[in-house]
Amino acid sequence: EKDGYDWFMRKEIFEQPRAVADALLGRHDESGLLQLDEVRISDDELREIDKIIIIGCGTANYAGMVAKYAIEHWTRIPCEVELAHEFRYRDPILTRNTLVVAISQSGETADTLMAIRHAVKQRARVLAICNTNGSTIPRESDAVIYTHAGPEIGVASTKGFLTQLIACYLLGLYLAQVRGTKFGDEIAAVVRELSQMPAHLERVLGDAQRVYDLAERFKDAKSVLFLGRHAGFPVALEGALKLKELAYIHAEGFAAGELKHGPIALIDQGLPVFCVVPPRGRDQLHDKMISAIQEIRARGALTIVLAEEDDDEVLPYADLLIPLPTVPTLLQPVVATVPLQLFSCELATLMGHDVDQPRNLAKSVTVE
Ligand code: BG6
């Protein structure tokens, strides 16, 4: 069942090209026009939506953070992201025209379930993004986009997360299509980029040994930081979460722009810092990230840089480099997350931990 892998988690990491392909399967026609048949909310109703609130816990919450960047950009609908357990207790403003998107791999997480029950009571519309057919959260929602990742056994989510990202992109593009905020050819162009993801992921996974060598080098690390910005910020948070969950090492993710407002004080000689560099493009994200890397390096950080494979500008500031395929900024989390999964899985293995069942954690937490 582990197909020769030592852990279910490692197997599931390597299944991601297939999982992502399955998540995309049948969701668009030849011309790139989207068809999401599980969305039982009419197009007219979707045109009325004036606010989106995305909720989830743990890794699912980070998928929601990525989704916010994409959905707001494509649809211009204001979009909030909130931890499911915080959402309900702050008396959120919900109307018939609020779309609550609940992200949950298991579909059974009590915090998320209670949050959607609250939303349903307030007459908001609820759409679930879920990996488990027939589980409670999709059953109690108005609509569902299944992620089709197949069963995920490892407690720490991997293919669950990547396919949640895909479902979020599909939802954003679908809303843009229905509401006419993007032209058909623009949507088709993003769909084309998405359909190349499985091939990109194969290449990232083909380079796993490079990441394993890194893990060997950091076995004794006491603390590791992760920096990103824009869609790379949730990737940094996810990288840190994986390291906490699996290797029990203190890890934190930061938005790179926030560094100078506090966290830079943590930088010390030899501190490992993973830096997720946005693709080069018309915006200034890439250059701002490079300045942040220069700043921390000048203060002694050891930089492990994830950047586009032909990004020469970043090379002088990278102590170690993990090359990524060239993809649009909003889609970069799909490829940038995978080396961080491999790193934590390998490091925890080297430390002798149970990767599939980390201490104190459960696959789905069914108590609030
Ligand atoms: C935690 C898991 O208990 O629940 C995480 O350890 C997961 O991996 C989180 O991200 C949310 O789970 P779900 O099933 O609602 O996506």
Side-chain angles (χ1 to χ4, degrees):
E1 349 158 325
K2 287 191 205 151
D3 293 344
Y5 289 97
D6 50 351
W7 303 110
F8 280 108
M9 182 187 181
R10 204 184 304 266
K11 170 174 174 255
E12 287 160 5
I13 291 172
F14 279 87
E15 277 171 1
Q16 289 179 117
R18 198 234 0 104
V20 163
D22 286 351
L24 288 164
L25 199 70
R27 258 101 193 232
H28 56 88
D29 65 16
E30 291 288 296
S31 67
L33 206 68
L34 289 144
Q35 39 211 19
L36 291 184
D37 41 21
E38 304 103 324
V39 178
R40 298 178 298 270
I41 304 174
S42 74
D43 286 357
D44 278 342
E45 289 165 330
L46 287 177
R47 278 187 277 269
E48 298 289 305
I49 297 296
D50 57 14
K51 180 166 75 173
I52 298 176
I53 306 180
I54 308 175
I55 54 172
C57 302
T59 293
N61 175 57
Y62 298 145
M65 287 176 70
V66 174
K68 176 189 160 88
Y69 288 96
I71 294 178
E72 281 197 343
H73 182 71
W74 291 331
T75 70
R76 312 311 294 157
I77 307 171
C79 189
E80 299 168 19
V81 191
E82 192 157 14
L83 291 163
H85 35 92
E86 286 293 318
F87 167 79
R88 174 158 91 108
Y89 296 100
R90 70 172 173 94
D91 191 16
I93 301 164
L94 300 167
T95 71
R96 260 332 252 165
N97 295 333
T98 308
L99 180 67
V100 172
V101 178
I103 307 180
S104 174
Q105 188 284 131
S106 62
E108 301 294 349
T109 297
D111 287 319
T112 312
L113 177 60
M114 295 307 160
I116 69 161
R117 285 189 180 152
H118 180 80
V120 167
K121 246 190 242 147
Q122 306 280 313
R123 300 170 42 85
R125 303 186 195 270
V126 177
L127 180 144
I129 289 178
C130 184
N131 192 41
T132 313
N133 278 51
S135 56
T136 313
I137 290 171
R139 271 195 281 118
E140 298 197 16
S141 300
D142 299 302
V144 52
I145 300 175
Y146 281 112
T147 48
H148 299 312
E152 191 180 63
I153 312 286
V155 164
S157 186
T158 53
K159 62 178 182 170
F161 176 70
L162 247 59
T163 55
Q164 283 164 357
L165 294 178
I166 300 296
C168 290
Y169 294 134
L170 291 170
L171 173 64
L173 293 170
Y174 186 72
L175 288 169
Q177 176 179 289
V178 168
R179 297 163 67 100
T181 49
K182 283 276 165 213
F183 292 119
D185 53 347
E186 293 174 290
I187 294 172
V190 182
V191 170
R192 262 198 309 281
E193 293 283 355
L194 284 172
S195 60
Q196 287 169 26
M197 283 300 163
H200 290 321
L201 288 168
E202 291 289 4
R203 286 184 42 223
V204 173
L205 290 166
D207 213 11
Q209 192 55 49
R210 180 196 295 264
V211 180
Y212 294 162
D213 294 343
L214 271 181
E216 176 68 42
R217 181 165 171 172
F218 292 110
K219 316 204 270 299
D220 301 318
K222 294 277 168 289
S223 175
V224 180
L225 302 188
F226 294 77
L227 289 186
R229 57 188 306 158
H230 194 269
F233 171 37
V235 174
L237 295 172
E238 170 64 4
L241 179 64
K242 283 286 160 287
L243 206 54
K244 291 176 217 178
E245 287 181 306
L246 298 165
Y248 321 142
I249 292 178
H250 170 254
E252 281 196 69
F254 294 110
E258 189 63 8
L259 210 60
K260 56 186 174 300
H261 302 293
I264 199 158
L266 290 170
I267 305 294
D268 205 357
Q269 205 57 41
L271 180 76
V273 185
F274 281 84
C275 307
V276 183
V277 179
R280 287 155 299 170
R282 273 164 300 174
D283 49 40
Q284 293 175 30
L285 289 172
H286 173 264
D287 297 353
K288 296 267 161 156
M289 187 68 201
I290 291 191
S291 327
I293 298 174
Q294 281 176 273
E295 290 286 331
I296 56 168
R297 208 156 170 271
R299 287 162 177 81
L302 196 143
T303 59
I304 306 138
V305 170
L306 290 84
E308 284 179 305
E309 48 210 338
D310 57 348
D311 185 344
D312 301 331
E313 288 163 60
V314 80
L315 285 182
Y317 313 108
D319 291 311
L320 298 157
L321 185 73
I322 300 177
L324 299 175
T326 294
V327 297
T329 306
L330 285 169
L331 308 188
Q332 199 198 35
V334 179
V335 291
T337 303
V338 176
L340 304 182
Q341 298 169 340
L342 288 167
F343 179 75
S344 292
C345 180
E346 182 66 8
L347 192 62
T349 304
L350 293 171
M351 294 170 89
H353 298 322
D354 184 335
V355 168
D356 286 336
Q357 301 215 2
R359 68 182 183 198
N360 307 340
L361 297 180
K363 183 66 185 156
S364 88
V365 182
T366 52
V367 289
E368 251 194 294

